[in-house]
Each structure stands twice: as structure tokens, then as C-alpha cells.
Amino acid sequence: MNNTVAVTPEIVAEHGLSPDEYDRVLEIMGRAPNITELGIFSVMWSEHCSYKSSKKWLKTLPTKAPWVICGPGENAGVVDLGDGQAAIFKMESHNHPSFIEPYQGAATGVGGILRDVFTMGARPVANLNALRFGAADHPKTRHLVAGVVAGVGGYGNCVGVPTVGGEVQFHPSYNGNILVNAMTIGVADADKIFYSEASGVGNPVVYVGSKTGRDGIHGATMASAEFSEDSEEKRPTVQVGDPFTEKLLIEACLELMATDAIVAIQDMGAAGLTSSSFEMASKGGLGVEIDLDKVPVRETAMTAYEIMLSESQERMLMVLQPGKEDLAKAVFDKWELDFAVIGTLTDTGRMVLKMGGGVVADLPIDPLAQAAPEYDRPWVPGKKQPVLAAADVPEISWADALKALVGGPDGASRRWVWEQYDHMVMGDTVQRPGGDAAVIRLHGTKKGLAATSDVNPRYVAADAAEGGKQAVAEAWRNLTAVGATPLAITDNMNFGNPERPEIMGQFVEACQGMGEACIALDFPVVSGNVSLYNETNGQGILPTPTIGGVGLLPDVEASVGIGFTGAGDALVLLGGEGTWLGQSLYLYALHGRSEGAPPPVDLAVERRNGDFVRERIRAGAVKACHDLSDGGLLVAVAEMALASGIGARIAMDGPAPHAKLFGEDQGRYLVAVAAADADAFVAAAEAAGVPARKLGETGGDAVAVNGEAVALAELKAAHEGWFPAYMA
């Protein structure tokens, strides 16, 4: 669009601004905006960039701890790892683009989150991806799975960063709106972290990376509206990625960061050049003047509107120290990337855009960046479901139930997915995908990072506060189960339309539950992303607040996995017997029912049990550990056996009712310990106030309960066979 296009009420509505918001634009500008200025307001005030519906509640989450160097508000969160090192990490969504164009949507989601991390001075060391698709039997699902997995792998593998963990889930609520949540962790020197706050009037503003094209225009606006039948027509709003250019960009940025040339740096993500320049200037309380004729473009006759709103990938904006332009240009020339001085910082507090010898836009920065609407949307508490008695759930033979659970879409091995990702590149992956948490060595040291991604959307739908609490506790538990000290989380809040009070209620209550768990577990939120309007034709997704957790291992050699390490070890159940079948996988996968209250989370119990497990792992007393979650005790036994090829025999007191075997009571772990140490281990647990009992032993080639057995080979065929057969 060129600047002569008239700004009509229809054009304003097309840009996603309400009449009230447009009145505010007129008030700020003191005049009607031209089309470029309107486009800038529309992306900056989009839900995706401004968090206008969620800000009020995000501010209630705990974000501080002695080890937090930088919480929310920057490109990514930063935590202290000791020894002068810091971990920098964040999770972001690329949901709408991935539904329209699964390969490029997922690939550019990975590219964008990598830039958020290396823009702060970190070398990316690990990626995770939480993927949620529609029902396995929906006609579009297989196509979307194939495209998204190929996109995640294609980008991550080419950049050379291992994809070490994540989730894949299927549920009909995602039929018309899949979720692709991408997480990156990087490592930096704690005293060499780069921020996005611009400073220094007269300092040069520099554009580096790829050229700007017309791809991704209105990406941020599109991600702030729900879908209808015409979602396929939105393909031009999806960005196109080039991982090889991203790899060059990582190396060039890190090389320049080793000098003193950079004052501030910001990646061009959602809303591209607009949001990066506004955020940098606003944080520094400065103005900026940009000559759009100097922006490297790859298409002819691009207008100011297109250049400012393009979301072309692999681009960064920097403020340099004066006189360092030649040094910086030499670095980017060496890596064969575009480099252009496109503007300067001013003291006017305004953004002035020039093109073709004239001014094409002139906007005040702070009112636009800081006066973005902030809504206190009406919300209603969710209707709580009554507790479902185990006696009201029909019992299926445990052997048939186990085979169906580990061999169905919800519980089958995700090996088909993660084998398409290079999870070993860089040579520091200690625990690969498939366990409770991935473990990667901090290069050249004995320390390690553990990482996981968790949420049970069925729990959140049934009780958003309890489900939000459980998602945080589950991430904390998964890190604990490998022996790591949980440090902090990043969250990806995926919900439906916030203008509906019941959806807004889910968001509010999920934040309340998450906040409570973060405080109780010393597990603050340091970064994150909100993705709303995940709906198609008024049908919302299950509320999905994905939690990405990061923990620290003082010594990776002391970490444990879920696989048994030998025959004849004792199995000890920590945390009590199973009782809870409400919202369980047993109920959903075997009976097609999503009913009852989800299992409650007692955070004091969670803390006590987890601290005991971690201390015992660190002391070398645990050979294998698995937290109990989807499918309860028996699924955990089977997963530990399948991970190692070693069977297990367990004994239940009296009959083995389905609630004991498949109940999803929280705060529980199954551990393998040396047989000679089992009694002392149980005694130590009980002394610490942790319920513990010897359950059985490892060995054989079957999973057996009270003498009745299912061959491991049969379980393995079901577990490993479902995904390849489904995708064939």
C-alpha cells in the first residue's frame, strides 16, 4: 500500500483496530494517520505485540529469584549458572502460520526463537518443541504433522542446534488450529549479556542479515485474530525461512559481540522493522530517524508500508558505537550478510521515516509503545467438575489397558518425530529425547542443563487453576527426576478468544495456579509468549499454557534416566498409591470420556517429595527414576522397561484395581535402587515424610503384575509401531 491510500473506517477495521482504538490513534497523532502510520499502529497494538488482553494478569506472575539476571520484558529470560555463565531461554508460538503453511510456519518459528536468544549474546545450545495437533483420524492431521516435523527438523538441523525435547499431542480441539511452541536455550558469559535498550543520541542504527521482502506482512495481525474457512488464503502472511543464513547471522553477531561495537541489539521478529525500532527507542527514551531507501530489499517498488511491516526472516537491528560502522561492516561482509546504516538515534522521542526525499511517517514513540491499550476483560470463573469416583470408571483388564495406552496416539513412542531432528549435533547431548527431561553438558565443563516442556490441556480445561498449577509442578518434577535443580520457566499461553468471558476466565485462573506453583517451588517465570484467538469458527482449543522448564546439574555424570540399568534392582514407589481417575488418560483414551476434577496438586508435598528424590539422585543412591504422570504407575513401569529392554515384576497388595495402576495422583516418582539398599532407601524416605514402599524388582522380558505378565516384545511392538504406521 502506498501513502496515498485513503484511511477509511473499513481500512481501519481490516487493520484489526476497534473504533475506540482508532479514536485513541487520532488523539495521539492530533491528526488522521496515513496508511503507513496506521499499519504501524495496527501491528504495535495487535494482541501479538502488545499483550493488551493479558498484560494485567501476566504482571501477577512471580519473576524474581536470586539467580534471575533478567526476567520478562527482554528478548529472553536470563538465569545465573554460576562460574560466570548464564542460561538465556524463551518459548514462543508460531501457531497460526503453521496451520496455514506447516513447513515454513514451523521452520520460521524455530528461526525466530533462536534469534531471540542469540540477540542477547548467547550461543544457542538446545531447542525444544511442544506440538499439538487435531485428532489422529482428522483428514488434515497427518499432513500437518508431516509438514511441521519436517519444518522443525529442517531448520534446527541446518542451523546446527540440537532439538532435544518437547511434546506431541493429539486432540480434536486442535483440528482447526494446531499449536507449534518453539523453545531455545543458549549459554552466555554472565557479564556479556546484550540488551535492547537504545542509548546515545546520534548513534548509528544498523540493519543486518537478509534482505527485506513482502513475506509475512500482517503476520502479527493475522496471529491476533481467529480463523474462519478462508484461513488457506492467508498464506502470503507466512514468513519464509533460510536456516543457512540464520547460521551465518549467529556467527556474525557473536563475533561482533566479542568487540565493544554494539550498544543495543534487537531481532526483527513479529512486526519486523516496526517493532524492533520502536522497542529499542522506547526503552531508551529516545527518538529514531530511518531512511527507508537504505533498507536492503529483495523486491522492486516496495512501499514504506511494506518495508515497515514485512516479517522477512533472519534480520537484526543494532545500535552501534559511533565510529564502529566499518568494523561491524567488515564482520558482516565476511559472513556474506547485508549490512546497512539506515538511521540515527535522536532526542525527539519520535520515529521519523523518510523515503524518496520526503517524510512518509512521523509518529511519537512513547505514546505508541506505552499507551497501547490494556484491557481488563470481563471474565467468569470456570465451572468446576465434581470429583469422579474410581468406582464409576469401568475396569478393563490391566494388560489390555496397558497395551492400548502405550500403543495409542496419546502414549505411543514419539521416536518417529525426534529421529528426524538432529538431537546429537554439538556433541553435548547427555540424555536424548524420550525421557523426563533432556540433559545437555555445558560445553567443556562437567555441569549440565536439563530442559522439559509440559502441560496437560485436559486438566486445564477441567479446572484452569489446578491445571496451571499442575503444568508448573510437572515441569519441576521432570527436571527433578533427572537430578537437576529447577531454576526457572518460560511459558507459552495458548488460549482461545479473550473477548469471551469464559475463555478469559481460563487465562486468569491458569495464571493464578501457575503463580502459586512458581512461588511454592521457587521456580520463577523469566520469559514467555501469549497466543490468543486460537479458534476456528468460534471453536476454541483446549486452554494450553505450555511450561518450558530449565534446571541445573552440578555434574552431568550424576544424572539418571528413565531406563532400568540392570536386572535385580528394587522398584520403590514414592508419594503414595494411585486413587485418581478423573481426567486421566485411562478415562480419556480407553473410555472416550473427559470427566471429573483433575488430580489436585499439593505444592508442599510436591516440594518435599521432589527435594528428597533429587538429594538421593545426587548421592548416587538412585539407578533410574521416572515421575508418574499420564497413565499413572503402570504406564511408568512400562516406559522404564521399554527404555531399557529390561522387564519388571510388581506386586499390589490384594487385587490390583485400575485406580492404583492407572490413577494420576500428583507428586509421585518410581525409582530403581540396588536391592541391598532398598530397605534403607524406604526408611530414609519415610524419615523425610515421603510415603514409600517397595513395589517389586527389575528383570525378565515382561511387565508382570501379581504374577500375570505381558511380554515386553508385545508392548514394544505396540509402543514403537503406532507412529510409523500412522504416518506411512
Side-chain angles (χ1 to χ4, degrees):
M1 294 191 189
N2 64 42
N3 265 8
T4 58
V5 173
V7 175
T8 62
E10 293 74 28
I11 292 270
V12 170
E14 274 174 32
H15 280 73
L17 292 170
S18 69
D20 286 353
E21 288 170 348
Y22 187 62
D23 287 344
R24 188 181 253 185
V25 170
L26 294 175
E27 195 183 316
I28 287 171
M29 294 292 286
R31 61 174 169 81
N34 64 34
I35 191 70
T36 301
E37 292 164 340
L38 180 76
I40 287 171
F41 269 98
S42 107
V43 292
M44 290 298 289
W45 287 8
S46 70
E47 194 71 61
H48 194 74
C49 292
S50 74
Y51 295 100
K52 57 191 172 189
S53 300
S54 56
K55 236 186 294 194
K56 171 184 166 74
W57 300 102
L58 296 176
K59 288 175 184 169
T60 66
L61 294 170
T63 59
K64 293 186 166 64
W67 53 90
V68 174
I69 294 173
C70 177
E74 267 297 335
N75 286 292
V78 188
V79 293
D80 193 348
L81 301 177
D83 306 311
Q85 290 178 303
I88 299 182
F89 63 97
K90 188 184 186 183
M91 183 183 278
E92 276 208 339
S93 59
H94 233 223
N95 303 336
H96 287 56
S98 300
F99 183 74
I100 298 164
E101 209 338 302
Y103 185 93
Q104 288 297 348
T108 53
V110 175
I113 196 63
L114 282 163
R115 283 194 300 284
D116 275 338
V117 166
F118 74 76
T119 191
M120 296 192 70
R123 178 170 290 284
V125 296
N127 289 332
L128 291 87
N129 288 275
L131 313 176
R132 289 180 171 84
F133 299 101
D137 57 3
H138 187 272
K140 279 197 82 162
T141 299
R142 195 176 346 207
H143 158 74
L144 290 166
V145 172
V148 166
V149 170
V152 168
Y155 206 100
N157 297 354
C158 292
V159 170
V161 176
T163 299
V164 296
E167 309 165 83
V168 179
Q169 288 181 340
F170 298 91
H171 190 278
S173 78
Y174 307 108
N175 282 350
N177 198 130
I178 63 173
L179 301 184
V180 174
N181 295 171
M183 175 174 167
T184 293
I185 307 167
V187 176
D189 290 342
D191 59 352
K192 289 197 188 121
I193 292 161
F194 288 79
Y195 296 99
S196 56
E197 181 183 315
S199 64
V201 172
N203 279 354
V205 176
V206 171
Y207 170 118
V208 301
S210 283
K211 289 179 166 59
T212 294
R214 289 190 172 95
D215 53 324
I217 292 172
H218 284 301
T221 319
M222 179 265 292
S224 306
E226 57 183 90
F227 278 159
S228 58
E229 262 85 10
D230 67 350
S231 60
E232 291 294 314
E233 292 165 24
K234 298 183 190 281
R235 193 163 275 131
T237 60
V238 177
Q239 311 88 339
V240 178
D242 177 358
F244 297 105
T245 301
E246 181 104 342
K247 173 64 175 164
L248 300 177
L249 191 57
I250 292 173
E251 299 305 333
C253 287
L254 292 177
E255 183 173 329
L256 189 59
M257 285 165 167
T259 72
D260 61 353
I262 300 173
V263 174
I265 179 167
Q266 172 83 30
D267 79 296
M268 292 193 222
L273 185 52
T274 290
S275 125
S276 53
S277 54
F278 260 92
E279 285 173 17
M280 290 173 84
S282 174
K283 282 178 181 167
L286 296 171
V288 64
E289 189 173 292
I290 293 177
D291 182 348
L292 296 180
D293 289 321
K294 293 184 174 166
V295 172
V297 293
R298 64 166 179 262
E299 300 186 42
T300 53
M302 284 189 73
T303 63
Y305 179 97
E306 290 171 329
I307 291 170
M308 290 305 290
L309 269 58
S310 165
E311 293 185 11
S312 293
Q313 297 291 289
E314 293 91 37
R315 302 178 304 154
M316 313 282 274
L317 198 63
M318 298 180 178
V319 175
L320 296 182
Q321 299 280 8
K324 299 289 184 180
E325 298 91 331
D326 289 347
L327 166 74
K329 184 177 187 310
V331 171
F332 283 87
D333 285 352
K334 170 186 153 184
W335 292 101
E336 298 180 354
L337 293 165
D338 275 282
F339 175 96
V341 178
I342 62 168
T344 51
L345 295 180
T346 68
D347 59 3
T348 64
R350 299 186 73 82
M351 166 166 282
V352 178
L353 304 178
K354 294 181 171 175
M355 195 173 188
V359 172
V360 289
D362 184 350
L363 303 125
I365 285 174
D366 275 356
L368 201 152
Q370 291 170 17
E374 184 171 330
Y375 295 125
D376 185 359
R377 298 218 184 261
W379 65 278
V380 293
K383 291 185 177 68
K384 304 288 184 267
Q385 297 202 36
V387 173
L388 178 68
D392 293 337
V393 179
E395 192 139 7
I396 295 171
S397 102
W398 72 259
D400 291 343
L402 182 61
K403 282 184 276 194
L405 291 177
V406 302
D410 301 289
S413 167
R414 274 38 181 158
R415 182 187 297 275
W416 182 90
V417 174
W418 57 259
E419 283 194 338
Q420 295 185 53
Y421 304 153
D422 189 337
H423 48 276
M424 301 303 287
V425 66
M426 296 178 118
D428 283 320
T429 306
V430 177
Q431 284 200 38
R432 56 187 71 190
D436 284 330
V439 176
I440 51 161
R441 181 183 284 99
L442 286 169
H443 193 72
T445 75
K446 64 177 192 170
K447 295 194 307 188
L449 287 175
T452 183
S453 151
D454 297 286
V455 64
N456 186 323
R458 293 193 313 278
Y459 289 1
V460 188
D463 182 335
E466 209 59 39
K469 197 193 291 184
Q470 191 275 340
V472 172
E474 170 77 5
W476 189 88
R477 205 156 58 230
N478 277 327
L479 298 171
T480 292
V482 298
T485 301
L487 293 176
I489 67 169
T490 181
D491 57 35
N492 208 145
M493 308 291 280
N494 308 275
F495 290 78
N497 184 341
E499 295 164 51
R500 294 203 279 140
E502 65 278 17
I503 300 291
M504 197 62 217
Q506 291 175 338
F507 186 91
V508 171
E509 293 189 313
C511 284
Q512 290 169 340
M514 287 164 53
E516 204 183 316
C518 289
I519 289 167
L521 300 173
D522 280 333
F523 203 27
V525 182
V526 295
S527 60
N529 173 247
V530 176
S531 175
L532 302 176
Y533 296 96
N534 287 290
E535 302 209 354
T536 301
N537 297 328
Q539 282 298 108
I541 60 163
L542 289 182
T544 311
T546 312
I547 303 297
V550 172
L552 179 65
L553 285 144
D555 183 354
V556 288
E557 298 301 321
S559 73
V560 297
I562 67 169
F564 299 141
T565 57
D569 288 332
L571 289 177
V572 177
L573 172 64
L574 296 169
E577 303 290 351
T579 59
W580 203 279
L581 288 175
Q583 295 301 336
S584 67
L585 191 59
Y586 187 90
L587 185 70
Y588 174 70
L590 304 179
H591 297 287
R593 293 162 56 186
S594 291
E595 290 167 40
V601 179
D602 182 325
L603 292 164
V605 167
E606 199 69 69
R607 182 81 197 235
R608 180 194 67 204
N609 296 0
D611 286 350
F612 172 78
V613 168
R614 189 183 317 103
E615 184 269 320
R616 296 280 82 204
I617 291 172
R618 297 253 177 107
V622 174
K623 293 184 156 193
C625 178
H626 197 358
D627 85 304
L628 269 52
S629 56
D630 286 358
L633 171 64
L634 198 55
V635 167
V637 173
E639 287 174 342
M640 295 177 85
L642 288 164
S644 58
I646 298 167
R649 299 177 285 277
I650 66 169
M652 306 304 289
D653 300 335
H658 54 342
K660 278 193 178 183
L661 291 175
F662 300 104
E664 295 181 6
D665 305 61
Q666 298 293 294
R668 301 191 300 153
Y669 301 81
L670 182 62
V671 298
V673 300
D677 301 337
D679 290 336
F681 189 93
V682 169
E686 289 178 339
V690 178
R693 83 172 181 88
K694 278 198 291 186
L695 198 66
E697 61 180 359
T698 64
D701 55 7
V703 169
V705 179
N706 290 352
E708 185 190 344
V710 178
L712 210 48
E714 193 179 347
L715 287 175
K716 183 176 180 179
H719 188 57
E720 297 283 354
W722 183 83
F723 228 115
Y726 174 67
M727 295 305 295

